[in-house]
Amino acid sequence: MSLATHFSAFVILFTLGIHRLLCCICNYLKNPSLYRSKTWYFSEPRWKNLDLYSLLIILPIASFSHVFLFLAFSGNNVVYKFSFLQQSLVIFFFWVFLILIVVKESFDLYAILDSLVYSFAGVCFAVEFLMNGKGLVGVSGGMYGHLGELAFICGGCCLCLAVKPSLFFVEFLFSCVLVLKGTWVLQVGLSLYTDMFSLDGCENLLVGLSKGKNDVKCDLEENKLRGTALMNLLFIVHAIVVMIVSFGLFALLNRDKRMRCGDTSGPLLAQVGSEDVLMRPLPELELE
């Protein structure tokens, strides 16, 4: 683990969360009564879906790099060594999830229901929750514990959307949590893996790794307790800021229709469009 790893995760999660938040709000405001969640919001033309196609390339590379780090790690900390393998497995699960989405949309395999895709996404987040923060205790364990809690919430949202995809609030919460995961994973990287932003009186996590459970090394126990309280407070601040921005974005898009994103592709919107055509009143014939 390093700051570069956490920054990469921040870029991916934050951009995905913002994109999904914008699309789900626009999709809901377009016609609330016909709202239905989508596993991925595709854009037309296809080249605009660079986020999805780039992830299809980046994720397997990241998964393989973690396997390489697992094989190349020569330290005595077995728990830390196997954390690379666990992270590789988590990334691989999400890569399979993206492949499932692409195959479903590219070949119009409507037999693969969105509920099945959402269910698999819930499994991916469950795997992330189970493998998050292994071998860490204290301040660092608490910070990674918050990431595990967010993964658990994401998994629950996916399972809810698999059962009832018309729940806008659940998808809104899911998108907000993705954004929060992105900002918090960056906070974890800055606080635990850098000297500049490390806790007062403590060293970064990579200094002095032991064979057993690991935590940041602090000069005094008071510094560790103060660091734990500070990180919990920062997590609350992150959550409040993300929710305020999300609700503000909803209010802004609801007020100004010109700022809403364009139509996303998919069978649902085609169905909505056909219903609009059927419901459009016919012009009245004037009798001469």
Side-chain angles (χ1 to χ4, degrees):
M1 298 296 179
S2 64
L3 178 60
T5 303
H6 287 75
F7 182 77
S8 301
F10 158 72
V11 173
I12 293 174
L13 290 171
F14 185 81
T15 54
L16 284 180
I18 291 295
H19 176 261
R20 188 174 188 89
L21 185 63
L22 287 171
C23 290
C24 76
I25 292 176
C26 294
N27 193 21
Y28 175 78
L29 294 177
K30 188 182 304 178
N31 198 329
S33 61
L34 294 176
Y35 173 79
R36 188 179 179 86
S37 175
K38 296 178 67 65
T39 53
W40 194 276
Y41 289 93
F42 287 90
S43 302
E44 292 293 345
R46 288 290 182 177
W47 63 266
K48 290 186 177 181
N49 301 301
L50 292 177
D51 53 347
L52 176 61
Y53 300 135
S54 59
L55 285 177
L56 288 173
I57 299 174
I58 293 174
L59 291 187
I61 296 176
S63 180
F64 177 78
S65 64
H66 279 76
V67 174
F68 176 78
L69 291 174
F70 165 75
L71 297 175
F73 185 78
S74 58
N76 296 325
N77 193 327
V78 180
V79 177
Y80 184 75
K81 178 178 181 179
F82 273 91
S83 66
F84 293 112
L85 192 61
Q86 293 169 351
Q87 291 298 319
S88 175
L89 182 62
V90 172
I91 296 173
F92 176 77
F93 265 84
F94 282 105
W95 182 57
V96 174
F97 166 69
L98 294 181
I99 290 179
L100 189 61
I101 292 177
V102 172
V103 171
K104 177 182 180 299
E105 292 290 335
S106 299
F107 298 98
D108 295 333
L109 299 179
Y110 300 122
I112 304 178
L113 302 177
D114 285 345
S115 59
L116 296 179
V117 180
Y118 268 126
S119 298
F120 185 77
V123 172
C124 295
F125 284 111
V127 173
E128 180 187 2
F129 169 73
L130 294 175
M131 296 187 177
N132 183 74
K134 293 294 184 180
L136 298 175
V137 294
V139 179
S140 55
M143 296 185 71
Y144 277 102
H146 290 315
L147 286 176
E149 294 167 0
L150 296 178
F152 182 81
I153 296 175
C154 287
C157 291
C158 289
L159 294 180
C160 289
L161 292 174
V163 176
K164 193 171 183 180
S166 60
L167 296 176
F168 166 72
F169 177 75
V170 175
E171 184 170 12
F172 182 84
L173 176 63
F174 177 48
S175 304
C176 293
V177 173
L178 285 179
V179 177
L180 180 57
K181 274 173 65 68
T183 60
W184 186 247
V185 77
L186 179 62
Q187 182 69 60
V188 172
L190 292 174
S191 299
L192 297 184
Y193 297 96
T194 63
D195 295 326
M196 182 179 299
F197 298 97
S198 61
L199 300 175
D200 185 25
C202 301
E203 298 176 335
N204 69 67
L205 185 61
L206 297 178
V207 176
L209 287 174
S210 60
K211 294 183 179 181
K213 301 290 184 177
N214 288 276
D215 193 11
V216 292
K217 306 296 182 182
C218 299
D219 299 332
L220 300 173
E221 187 66 23
E222 295 179 357
N223 294 334
K224 185 174 294 187
L225 295 176
R226 184 169 58 250
T228 302
L230 177 61
M231 289 300 103
N232 291 333
L233 178 61
L234 277 178
F235 180 76
I236 296 174
V237 172
H238 276 254
I240 293 175
V241 171
V242 169
M243 294 306 297
I244 291 176
V245 172
S246 300
F247 280 106
L249 186 61
F250 180 88
L252 185 62
L253 292 175
N254 185 38
R255 182 178 180 180
D256 193 349
K257 295 182 179 180
R258 294 174 299 176
M259 299 185 63
R260 298 180 188 177
C261 51
D263 294 345
T264 52
S265 63
L268 173 65
L269 294 181
Q271 178 183 356
V272 173
S274 62
E275 292 181 1
D276 290 341
V277 173
L278 293 176
M279 296 175 61
R280 189 176 301 162
L282 295 175
E284 297 181 358
L285 297 177
E286 297 182 359
L287 297 178
E288 297 182 356

